[in-house]
Amino acid sequence: MFRKVAIFVKPTESLAGPLTALISVIRKTGAEVYLDERSAKTLGERAGSRGYTRAELGELCDLAVVLGGDGTMLGVARSLAPFGTPIVGVNAGRLGFITDIVLEDMERLLPALIQGQCTRDVRRMLGAELVRNGECIFSGLAVNDIGVSHGRAGGMVEFIVYVNGVQMASQSADGIICATPTGSTAYSLAAGGPLLAPMLNGVTLVPVAPHTLSNRPIVLPGESSINIEITESRDAVAYFDMQEFVDVQPGDVLNIGLSKQSFTLLHPIEYEYFEILRKKLRWNYMPEYVNRSAKRM
């Protein structure tokens, strides 16, 4: 059973009601509750204690519960990865591919999970360094994806992609995405990339609106070394989960690979990945049958 539970809340809107209900559900299991700074601010005087930083919660707690959407989960996962704190998501966002407990099921599913009745799902993360004139000027981790995107100027970015030291492609596009299996249901999917089941050890490279239509997504082995050399950029940026950004210049090289760092998702016993896909992507939707012969009559 988990004894000390950290709560993180979505920062962009007030979720005081669901947050209060979540705290009540956890306390009924006998676990201690620790609020992050945003949660404490949301509740105000009702919080009953100060809010803790993410680093403090990583040291203190043996479980993190995130009330929000996938975006909130990404930030918390990056922050808690060094501490090995497992995470469970309660969906207060939209699609919620990695926040798989909906608010309506929270009271039914969460107590059993806190008592240890759950499955553990370890996900690899991406790491990258941005190198300029032979010197690393920025490094970071990502849960979903790392890539390059055009900036406010809106012009295309030109770059060369190397895989394991061998040139794979020269491209002109709005950007390029390197996504983990976790991130394959996010921006990568919207850009036309393939879905990767989370148990795969691989990454996908997806060009965004490439100028040459023959430039297509590719799935690479997980241990591949990927280097993206910027040749023309205007005001392009390198991004990490679309939450951290750094400006790039011609000549910069973004070195990307799977990190040794990972994070652990906890799921209810009844969780099934393909059921999540079926529901979220509406793969169970069957258009109404039309009797064409009857219509012609």
Side-chain angles (χ1 to χ4, degrees), residues 2 19-20 23 34 38 61 106 111 129 170 174 190 213 224 262 294:
F2 297 100
L19 178 58
T20 302
I23 293 169
Y34 295 81
R38 175 67 187 182
C61 298
M106 179 174 67
E129 294 182 340
S170 298
D174 281 358
L213 295 181
S224 300
S262 62

Side-chain angles (χ1 to χ4, degrees), residues 109-181:
L109 296 177
L110 197 54
L113 189 147
I114 292 172
Q115 291 164 6
Q117 299 172 35
C118 58
T119 60
R120 302 175 70 89
D121 181 3
V122 179
R123 304 282 183 97
R124 294 282 297 274
M125 303 173 73
L126 282 174
E129 294 182 340
L130 183 64
V131 177
R132 180 173 297 162
N133 299 323
E135 179 182 351
C136 176
I137 63 169
F138 187 87
S139 63
L141 291 172
V143 172
N144 271 356
D145 45 42
I146 295 173
V148 177
S149 178
H150 68 72
R152 289 184 297 273
M156 285 191 169
V157 185
E158 296 179 11
F159 50 88
I160 303 172
V161 179
Y162 300 86
V163 178
N164 297 330
V166 178
Q167 182 176 337
M168 188 188 79
S170 298
Q171 297 182 337
S172 178
D174 281 358
I176 186 168
I177 306 163
C178 180
T180 63

Side-chain angles (χ1 to χ4, degrees), residues 1 12 65 73-74 92 101 113 139 171 197 240 250 258-259 293:
M1 178 176 173
T12 55
V65 178
M73 288 281 284
L74 299 181
I101 297 179
L113 189 147
S139 63
Q171 297 182 337
F240 296 72
L258 279 179
S259 171
S293 60

